[in-house]
Amino acid sequence: MKINSLETTNNIFLAPMAGVTDLAFRIICREMGAGLVFSEMVSSKGIYYGDEKTEKLLRVDPKERPIAVQIFGSDPLIMGRIVKDNLNKRNDIDIIDINMGCPAPKIVKNGDGSAIMKNPNLAREIVKSVVSASNKPVTLKIRMGWDCDNINGIEIGKIAEEEGISGLTIHARTRDMFYSGEADWDYIREMKKNINIPIIGNGDIFQPQDAIRMFEHTKCDGLAIGRGAQGNPWIFKRILRLLEGKEDQPPSVEDKVNTCLRHLDLICEIKGKKIGIREMRKHSAWYLKGLKNSNEIKNKINNIESKEALEELLINFSEEYKD
C-alpha cells in the first residue's frame, strides 16, 4: 500500500495504543506480518520541552520499519515546530501520524485527542502546520465525532485532504462510546466514498475473518488493528493468508507461549527487568486468554517479580498442555 511516497509492506497495520504498542510489541508485530506499525502516542509538548520519558517513547529499531510515530497536542505552532526541529531529522521515522481520536479523559480535558474534532478550524490549523513543516508523509487518526449529536468525521477528513494529509485512519466509534458498542463500518464506507486519500478502517477486527468482512463492506484501502492484536500478533499473518486464498492457521499453545517468552526477552532487554516484568504481566495474560486455567495462571503472573520466575511459569504452563 502506498502512503504518499512510502510503500508499506502490506495494508494490514498495527494501530497505535498507549501503553501497548511500545518498541518490543512493534517488533513482534512486524515479525508477524504487520505492514506498518504505529508508536504509542507521543506528546508534542513533551518533545518540545525535551522530556526524558517522551524521548524513550521515540526510540525506534530498524527491525520494525516502516514505522509511523503518532503525536498528539492542540497547539499548531508547537506541533509544527517539533516536526521541523526534531522529527524531520530522524531518518528512522517513516510517517508522522496526528492523533485526533484518543478518548481518554486525561487527554481530552486538555483539549487534545478527540476533543479537537469539536473544533474543525483548529483541526485544520494543526494539520496545516504539521504537513507544511514535515518532510515525511503525514497521516491522521480520528473517530466519527465527539458524540452521536456531533458526527463530523467526514468533514474533518475533507479538511485533512485539503491540507495535504496522505492517509486517514477512522475508528468507527464516537468519543463518548470509547470502546463500547459496535463499530459503525457503514461510516467507514461513506468516508471512503467521500474522500480521495487512502482510508484505513479501524474498529472491531478481532478475528482474521473480520478483516475480510471489513474490506468487503467498506472498500477501505487498509486496516489498523488495535485491541485485536493484544496477545494476538498472529492476526496479521492470518489475515494475509486469507487474503492470499490460503487456509487460516491459528497459533498453537506452544506458539503462544514461545512468542510470549520472545516478547519477555525483548521488553526486558529494552526497558530493563524491573519495568519489563511489570509491563509483561498484562501482555502475558493477553497471550494466554481463553486457554484452560488461564485465570489461575493470570493471578500468579500478577505476583511475579523476576524474569526467571515468569519464564518458568510460562514453560510449565506449556508443558502441562502437552501432557
Side-chain angles (χ1 to χ4, degrees):
M1 177 176 170
K2 246 191 165 175
I3 299 177
N4 199 320
S5 58
L6 177 74
E7 188 78 44
T8 62
T9 310
N10 57 60
N11 60 349
I12 315 297
F13 303 159
L14 171 66
M17 291 179 282
V20 179
T21 59
D22 62 4
L23 176 54
F25 188 58
R26 297 195 306 265
I27 291 173
I28 294 283
C29 289
R30 279 290 287 141
E31 291 174 347
M32 293 288 180
L36 175 71
V37 294
F38 286 75
S39 73
E40 301 174 73
M41 61 181 187
V42 183
S43 165
S44 56
K45 288 184 177 178
I47 299 173
Y48 185 76
Y49 292 110
D51 177 69
E52 187 178 338
K53 289 183 179 178
T54 302
E55 289 298 321
K56 289 180 180 177
L57 290 176
L58 289 169
R59 182 177 173 186
V60 170
D61 187 286
K63 290 191 290 291
E64 59 175 317
R65 295 183 63 191
I67 178 173
V69 165
Q70 187 183 77
I71 57 174
F72 74 92
S74 50
D75 186 323
L77 293 177
I78 286 180
M79 294 183 77
R81 178 60 63 87
I82 61 108
V83 169
K84 182 179 179 182
D85 294 346
N86 185 297
L87 300 181
N88 276 352
K89 297 174 183 177
R90 294 281 301 270
N91 293 326
D92 54 351
I93 293 171
D94 301 290
I95 291 174
I96 296 170
D97 187 59
I98 303 170
N99 181 296
M100 293 187 192
C102 180
K106 68 178 181 179
I107 298 297
V108 299
K109 76 176 182 181
N110 293 321
D112 301 332
S114 54
I116 297 168
M117 295 191 69
K118 294 191 289 184
N119 187 342
N121 290 331
L122 176 59
R124 183 184 293 277
E125 290 305 309
I126 289 171
V127 170
K128 181 185 293 185
S129 179
V130 173
V131 171
S132 62
S134 179
N135 60 15
K136 309 173 190 296
V138 180
T139 55
L140 176 67
K141 172 79 179 287
I142 62 172
R143 286 188 168 228
M144 294 193 302
W146 179 253
D147 56 32
C148 62
D149 296 320
N150 297 278
I151 292 178
N152 64 342
I154 291 174
E155 177 191 355
I156 299 292
K158 287 182 176 179
I159 288 171
E161 182 181 8
E162 289 169 7
E163 297 299 339
I165 282 288
S166 297
L168 181 70
T169 302
I170 169 70
H171 183 153
R173 285 181 170 87
T174 56
R175 185 269 169 176
D176 68 340
M177 291 174 71
F178 284 81
Y179 300 98
S180 65
E182 291 185 3
D184 185 352
W185 290 2
D186 288 344
Y187 197 81
I188 301 175
R189 183 172 59 192
E190 288 306 304
M191 182 160 278
K192 177 60 186 169
K193 288 178 182 177
N194 284 276
I195 296 172
N196 298 310
I197 55 177
I199 300 298
I200 301 157
N202 177 223
D204 291 356
I205 301 173
F206 295 103
Q207 298 295 330
Q209 295 77 11
D210 297 333
I212 306 303
R213 290 192 301 108
M214 181 182 274
F215 273 130
E216 291 174 348
H217 187 82
T218 70
K219 312 303 180 188
C220 61
D221 301 285
L223 308 179
I225 302 173
R227 291 173 298 149
Q230 292 176 352
N232 184 30
W234 304 271
I235 194 167
F236 301 102
K237 62 164 64 174
R238 291 175 67 188
I239 291 169
L240 293 171
R241 283 186 64 85
L242 292 186
L243 290 172
E244 292 167 0
K246 298 176 182 176
E247 271 191 38
D248 186 21
Q249 281 189 344
S252 65
V253 173
E254 188 175 7
D255 290 332
K256 292 184 177 187
V257 171
N258 286 340
T259 303
C260 188
L261 289 167
R262 160 95 170 122
H263 194 161
L264 174 63
D265 283 340
L266 274 174
I267 201 168
C268 288
E269 178 186 333
I270 293 165
K271 298 185 176 182
K273 289 185 179 181
K274 185 176 180 180
I275 295 174
I277 292 300
R278 191 166 66 235
E279 296 193 4
M280 264 315 284
R281 289 171 180 166
K282 64 187 175 193
H283 287 286
S284 299
W286 288 332
Y287 278 114
L288 304 180
K289 185 178 179 181
L291 298 177
K292 188 176 68 174
N293 300 326
S294 59
N295 284 334
E296 180 185 333
I297 195 172
K298 179 181 174 183
N299 293 331
K300 292 179 181 178
I301 287 170
N302 286 335
N303 293 306
I304 277 178
E305 298 290 344
S306 77
K307 180 174 185 282
E308 293 73 23
L310 182 51
E311 286 173 335
E312 182 180 359
L313 187 65
L314 290 168
I315 291 168
N316 287 342
F317 181 82
S318 181
E319 290 298 325
E320 286 175 10
Y321 261 83
K322 291 179 183 178
D323 293 340

